[in-house]
Amino acid sequence: MKERRAHPPGGGSDRRGSAFALSLALAIMVLGTLLVALLQWSGSQVDRIARERDQATAKTVVAQSVEQMSHGLEVGASSRALLGQLSGGDPDLEWLDVFAERWFTDYAGLAETYLLSPEGAPLYAIRGNARVAAHSYIGIEQYAAPLAEQMRAATIRNRTQNDGSSTRTPVVADLRFLRGRPAILSVKPVLAGQASDGERVGAVPMVVGVAYLDGSFFERLAQHYGLADMRYQSGPRTGPGETSAPLRDRSSQVMGYLVWRAFAPGQQVVSALGPVSMLLVLVVASVVFFLASRLTRRTRDLAESRSEAHYQALHDPLTGLANRMMFEAWLDEALERCEQGPEGAGHLALLCIDLDRFKLINDTLGHPAGDELIRQVAARLRAEVRDYDMVARMAGDEFAIAICEPEDRAAVEGICARIIEQLARPFDLFGARAYIGGSIGVALAPDDSRERTELTRRVDIALTTAKAEGRGRYLFFTPAMDAKIRAREELVQALRHAVHEDPAQLHVHYQPMYCARTGAIRAVEALLRWEHPERGFIGPGTFIPQAEESGLIEALGNFVLRRALEDARAWPDVRVSVNISPSQMRCTDFVTRVRDLLEESGVAPQRLELEMTETALMASSRDVRRTIAALRELEVACALDDFGTGYSSLSHIRDMAVDRIKVDKSFVAAISTPQGAGLVEAIVSVARVHGMAVTAEGVETPMQLAFLRDLGCHELQGFLLSHPVCAENLSALLAESRAGQGPALQWAGSDGWAI
């Protein structure tokens, strides 16, 4: 019998150990594979979220670029001066160079701008900061012409539906392929005022703007939104690690694709942690937990980043209030509900709030104090309305509030009154107490309008009226305000026509200034008169403020100065005094213009006296000081008009070294009272101490004349002596004065002075 062979000791254990090792190895491999697969899946999900975010960002940025360019184009195209240039047929190209570079190239960010006549012909073109031939418009005309025609049709509908009174039309903008590059093409009619009776409804000038989606545009996206290596291509094909988004025009046609290098945070995480995970499979559970937590946190950060970006786009960073974009979108929805709701439902009150004296706080306490003031104002406004009312910061010191379904008008008035009271309370700004105040304009929907643009326009009118009537108050919009604004615009247009096209409507009259000692005419003051062919005589108090607001005052001042010097050639022994505006004083070439006019007229500089107000003296004292010094080098005299009615200090008057002070007629009228007489006496004493001559305005009674002469005034002016007269009548007055036949100041005994 054979002997049975025995198994080696431990053989079964080895096999079991091998099986266990194999099982363990397989388990480790499975776990490693699952871990790698989990990492790869998680990374791909993070990358997908990042790609979706980038695609949404790219679409949003393109839409915002179109909106921002449209807004900038609308601001420039609302200029009345631009409308006048393009409607006249012979525009001032140098003026257009400055205007187009400032508003369309720099502000709106346009690469090319074309200005079209009312008939659609190109009048002006600029690329970048350089003017080019107007006919270069041909290259984009086939794309711009349909938009321009669409814009004209919209203008016709707008004016027809609004009786020709509305000038607000949207900007038509679209994406086009121009000069081999994708570009934003926009068209806006130049409408700055009410259509005149003779104006064809659809014949309006147009502004055509082009902004290319080129390297600078893509660099800005890469810098601000992380869309690296962005480019444009015609097809959707992308390379490794790239993603794309279609570029669509208004008709949703695909023009091409924006392609950029995709941000892949998930893949980066997988590449960094994969090898380590394979080596540390024994602690795979901990690694998985760590990676899961990290990936979750990464995903949450991405979501939070997107949410934060969305929040920042709709809120004011300083106050946390809604910004203009969010407020306007919210207001559109509220007005839509107002229109669709049942009768009596959906009412809304729109408040526009402007802070008074805010600039003074910035100038005196600094911008940090100004920011703190804005934050405190926002808190006070929120405290005065309900949680579901909308409060927004529209601009620097401008706020808006939309009150949803107020109980009645009295409730709105109560809110406005409380806001005015809160803004009048002191503000603590880093230990300094500041006082401001506010003005409020109010418009109601649907009573005033159901459309946001028109409702906003009307609330702005109410705000402007409230500020003009003294600030620190609230006013509801009324049709009379709108009529007043339109009447003012009509007056400005008529004045602009008179200045630039029909100067025969403007006349210069002269009011003599008599020597208080001899009664002889020593000087005359040039005064502008406007005689409209239909409205008749329009007083300076009516049109001069409008000229200052509209920028016509400089042209009017130059007209009066030129005419006065021309007329002065006939009066060789008389000083001519001409009023000048603050804007003229700030012009760098004002002194040169005065020198040229003196040379043209042949009038000696010693015979010219320029009158300025205290407001002009204080508005920019450094510039005024330089101007006065240059005028004195020409031997032109300077007088301070309406002294005592402004806010200048004696030190400023001394530093400016004016030659003459003119006592305002309001003080002359008050000399019958002890207080008034004492004030005039003090003014004359101040002038005597500083070596200045004194002219008293508004002399209307013999008693005033006698008092002022005894007081030591050098010259007298007023209706008692002479009204303003034309140049021909003044020549007759001067002839009578030289012959001893004109008015002479003579002593009439104890009863006073007689003429």
Side-chain angles (χ1 to χ4, degrees), residues 511-527:
Q511 187 172 24
M513 292 182 241
Y514 292 84
C515 176
R517 183 175 55 83
T518 65
I521 297 178
R522 296 278 296 276
V524 293
E525 180 180 1
L527 301 171

Side-chain angles (χ1 to χ4, degrees), residues 209-389:
V210 177
Y212 291 103
L213 305 184
D214 54 11
S216 60
F217 176 80
F218 297 141
E219 288 175 2
R220 180 167 59 85
L221 294 188
Q223 179 180 0
H224 294 289
Y225 301 97
L227 305 179
D229 298 335
M230 176 170 277
R231 67 183 186 276
Y232 167 86
Q233 66 183 32
S234 58
R237 186 176 57 188
T238 60
E242 293 182 337
T243 186
S244 66
L247 191 63
R248 301 179 185 272
D249 60 15
R250 296 179 61 198
S251 60
S252 297
Q253 295 293 324
V254 177
M255 293 180 54
Y257 294 83
L258 297 178
V259 180
W260 63 92
R261 189 174 74 249
F263 176 48
Q267 188 61 40
Q268 295 175 6
V269 172
V270 171
S271 299
L273 298 182
V276 177
S277 301
M278 294 300 295
L279 295 175
L280 301 178
V281 299
L282 296 177
V283 289
V284 64
S286 301
V287 173
V288 168
F289 176 79
F290 170 76
L291 292 177
S293 300
R294 178 155 185 160
L295 290 174
T296 302
R297 188 163 56 250
R298 183 71 171 178
T299 303
R300 184 174 62 250
D301 290 344
L302 289 173
E304 290 177 353
S305 175
R306 185 176 181 180
S307 177
E308 178 66 19
H310 183 265
Y311 179 87
Q312 291 296 334
L314 298 178
H315 291 79
D316 173 52
L318 181 61
T319 63
L321 297 177
N323 61 12
R324 181 182 293 273
M325 181 184 298
M326 180 178 180
F327 184 79
E328 290 179 349
W330 185 93
L331 188 58
D332 282 334
E333 295 179 0
L335 291 174
E336 184 177 353
R337 292 194 301 270
C338 174
E339 185 169 354
Q340 295 176 354
E343 186 68 24
H347 285 216
L348 181 141
L350 178 60
L351 281 62
C352 188
I353 305 163
D354 191 76
L355 303 183
D356 300 334
R357 298 181 295 277
F358 174 72
K359 185 177 183 301
L360 182 61
I361 300 299
N362 267 342
D363 293 342
T364 56
L365 300 180
H367 289 283
D371 291 344
E372 176 61 21
L373 176 62
I374 291 295
R375 283 190 286 266
Q376 293 187 27
V377 168
R380 294 188 186 185
L381 294 180
R382 278 194 296 256
E384 295 302 328
V385 297
R386 300 162 298 187
D387 292 339
Y388 52 85
D389 293 329

Side-chain angles (χ1 to χ4, degrees), residues 100-231:
E101 180 179 354
R102 177 182 179 184
W103 291 108
F104 298 133
T105 301
D106 295 337
Y107 182 77
L110 299 180
E112 300 179 12
T113 303
Y114 302 90
L115 304 181
L116 309 183
S117 69
E119 292 73 22
L123 296 178
Y124 178 86
I126 184 173
R127 291 181 185 172
N129 296 325
R131 186 203 314 164
V132 298
H135 63 260
S136 62
Y137 172 68
I138 296 175
I140 66 168
E141 183 176 9
Q142 61 175 322
Y143 304 104
L147 298 181
E149 187 61 31
Q150 179 182 352
M151 202 74 267
R152 288 191 180 92
T155 304
I156 294 174
R157 290 195 302 272
N158 186 37
R159 291 189 171 185
T160 302
Q161 296 172 1
N162 295 276
D163 299 327
S165 61
S166 177
T167 63
R168 291 182 177 252
T169 57
V171 178
V172 174
D174 204 352
L175 296 174
R176 287 290 184 269
F177 203 78
L178 304 177
R179 307 189 194 281
R181 292 181 289 173
I184 302 172
L185 177 64
S186 60
V187 178
K188 175 71 173 69
V190 182
L191 296 175
Q194 181 179 5
S196 62
D197 295 337
E199 181 183 335
R200 287 177 294 149
V201 174
V204 294
M206 293 284 176
V207 179
V208 177
V210 177
Y212 291 103
L213 305 184
D214 54 11
S216 60
F217 176 80
F218 297 141
E219 288 175 2
R220 180 167 59 85
L221 294 188
Q223 179 180 0
H224 294 289
Y225 301 97
L227 305 179
D229 298 335
M230 176 170 277
R231 67 183 186 276

